[in-house]
Amino acid sequence: MSAGFSQQVERHFHHGAAAYARHARLQQALAWRLVRAFHRLPLPPGATADLGAGSGAVAQALQVLAPELLERHPPLQVDLTAGLLAHNPLSQRQLLWNLNQGLPPQLQPAALLTSNFALQWLENPAAQLQCWCQGLAPGGVLALAVPTAGSFPEWRRAAEHSGVPCTALPLPKVEALIAVAGQALDLQFCQRLRFSRPQSGLMLLRQMRAIGADASPAPSLSGGQLRRLLRHWPSAAVSWEVLLLVGRRRP
């Protein structure tokens, strides 16, 4: 991946910002699971932030599940895309920032870092996760939900059988992320989740395009290649693998 890809990600999500909250149902569901997994954990002094906050799915879950935590520690909403932040309920706590540059200086040391469906868009997810862990204060909490490499097996099979390139975003491996987090954190919660939706390949690609989640470092398929891919999509289903992880920084 490259700086050009980061610009592509920003551009696509900006164009899909108005539709994101309406269509990103899985992302919203995982934000609620994530908040339930960490919101009762005590926090040390320090900054709090939602990394890749977008339109604020984690903030919205906090408003319902842990309003007292949101009031005491309102997380800075950090994102690359101004269009998404314009739809974020925490409008008074926002920062435009490219997380490929590491953590913003004002977040170090951090008491709480959350991230929901954002780490996979960075140039080196494992290296950035290590940076996030190291940016926590002793006793600080990291809460992460991220789609991982076991996602979209139907897409990969369709590409193989049709003889066209697979343009799905390369996703990080669960084992690699757990290993990185485990070097600095005591894991409080760690679960590999799998979801399957009754959805055709065409519906998936249209939905990803609608919300701006269709950026890829691979060249776009031609119309003929896309038609061949869809003819070989093995079933009217789409599968996701998601890592849900909560850890506390060791003293």
Side-chain angles (χ1 to χ4, degrees):
M1 297 189 191
S2 65
F5 177 67
S6 181
Q7 293 168 359
Q8 181 191 149
V9 170
E10 190 280 331
R11 185 171 63 251
H12 284 219
F13 275 115
H14 182 79
H15 289 160
Y20 190 90
R22 186 165 69 254
H23 292 289
R25 301 294 177 82
L26 181 63
Q27 291 88 330
Q28 292 165 2
L30 266 295
W32 282 67
R33 286 193 183 217
L34 192 64
V35 170
R36 288 193 180 100
F38 78 79
H39 77 273
R40 289 192 174 91
L41 295 176
L43 299 177
T48 63
D50 188 19
L51 306 177
S55 57
V58 172
Q60 291 165 14
L62 281 168
Q63 285 178 328
V64 177
L65 297 173
E68 69 290 342
L69 175 61
L70 186 62
E71 183 177 353
R72 292 197 313 269
H73 305 284
L76 184 65
Q77 305 295 285
V78 180
D79 203 274
L80 178 67
T81 307
L84 284 172
L85 288 176
H87 296 270
N88 191 302
L90 292 187
S91 58
Q92 75 283 8
R93 292 273 296 162
Q94 294 182 356
L95 175 67
L96 275 176
W97 182 266
N98 186 343
L99 287 164
N100 287 304
Q101 300 174 7
L103 289 175
Q106 59 266 49
L107 293 184
Q108 302 184 54
L112 172 66
L113 296 174
T114 66
S115 184
N116 181 51
F117 274 64
L119 181 64
Q120 76 275 12
W121 294 109
L122 302 184
E123 294 168 9
N124 188 331
Q128 293 302 331
L129 178 59
Q130 183 180 44
C131 171
W132 296 357
C133 293
Q134 292 172 347
L136 291 167
V141 172
L142 173 73
L144 173 72
V146 57
T148 46
S151 299
F152 308 136
E154 304 87 358
W155 191 344
R156 293 195 297 275
R157 286 197 296 270
E160 180 181 356
H161 294 162
S162 63
V164 304
C166 182
T167 58
L169 178 73
L171 296 171
K173 293 183 178 180
V174 167
E175 296 80 6
L177 297 181
I178 293 174
V180 168
Q183 291 174 4
L185 308 181
D186 289 324
L187 300 185
Q188 312 289 302
F189 183 90
C190 185
Q191 190 173 14
R192 184 193 309 222
L193 303 172
R194 290 186 172 88
F195 304 91
S196 183
R197 288 181 170 184
Q199 187 179 45
S200 70
L202 180 59
M203 289 173 60
L204 171 69
L205 297 178
R206 283 178 172 172
Q207 183 183 54
M208 294 178 79
R209 183 175 183 180
I211 65 174
D214 59 334
S216 172
S220 299
L221 299 181
S222 67
Q225 287 176 315
L226 179 58
R227 287 190 290 273
R228 289 209 308 275
L229 175 74
L230 294 175
R231 282 199 301 270
H232 287 83
W233 204 278
S235 64
V238 173
S239 302
W240 294 78
E241 177 189 73
V242 180
L243 173 64
L244 195 66
L245 180 150
V246 178
R248 185 183 294 281
R249 179 73 188 269
R250 298 189 188 100

